[in-house]
Amino acid sequence: MEFVHRSWPADARQLPVIRRAVRGWLQRLGLDTAATADLVLAVDEAATNSIEHAYGPGEQDVVELLLWTELNVLYVEIVDHGTWKPPSRAASFRGRGIQLMRAITDSVLIHYDARGTRVLLCQALPS
């Protein structure tokens, strides 16, 4: 069983740091290279959404990651304490992060309320 809880400033300059940390945690779990890359990408999408959309101009806050395993399942929760902004329906080359997360993980749950947004990614682990 594995459990990790970390937080970073909600700043785009922290995204490479977050990706490296997640990749390191996942390598200890025996995932293959493709599965690791997919999960790092999914976490990066959720963290990017938190950094770009949860906080208003001048607001300083954090992005939290919780990673844990239970019975051959990996859970990664990405948390912000900002305000949910629904995805835009306007045509754009952006705005597909949630679709991407859903395509490359087994399950994505999103919960938002006055306390912020929580994105839970679930992925089966190799036996």
Side-chain angles (χ1 to χ4, degrees):
M1 174 131 30
E2 179 87 16
F3 182 83
V4 177
H5 178 215
R6 293 275 316 271
S7 64
W8 292 269
D11 182 321
R13 294 173 293 193
Q14 295 298 310
L15 290 168
V17 177
I18 293 169
R19 288 190 298 266
R20 272 193 306 276
V22 170
R23 191 174 295 108
W25 298 328
L26 295 176
Q27 287 173 342
R28 294 190 303 234
L29 299 177
L31 295 169
D32 65 32
T33 304
T36 297
D38 282 350
L39 283 165
V40 168
L41 178 58
V43 170
D44 184 63
E45 287 292 331
T48 298
N49 285 347
S50 291
I51 289 167
E52 290 183 355
H53 304 297
Y55 304 110
E59 284 185 290
Q60 298 293 315
D61 218 310
V62 298
V63 174
E64 296 180 61
L65 263 71
L66 293 89
L67 176 144
W68 71 96
T69 59
E70 294 179 16
L71 301 171
N72 294 323
V73 178
L74 167 67
Y75 300 92
V76 182
E77 187 172 37
I78 302 90
V79 179
D80 68 57
H81 305 283
T83 304
W84 171 260
K85 293 182 182 59
S88 172
R89 300 218 185 273
S92 170
F93 70 94
R94 299 194 64 195
R96 294 182 180 87
I98 293 172
Q99 289 174 302
L100 179 64
M101 287 184 273
R102 288 188 170 132
I104 60 178
T105 62
D106 291 340
S107 176
V108 177
L109 302 171
I110 299 173
H111 174 79
Y112 56 92
D113 59 24
R115 297 174 296 168
T117 301
R118 304 175 93 80
V119 175
L120 180 62
L121 308 172
C122 306
Q123 185 68 40
L125 292 172
S127 302

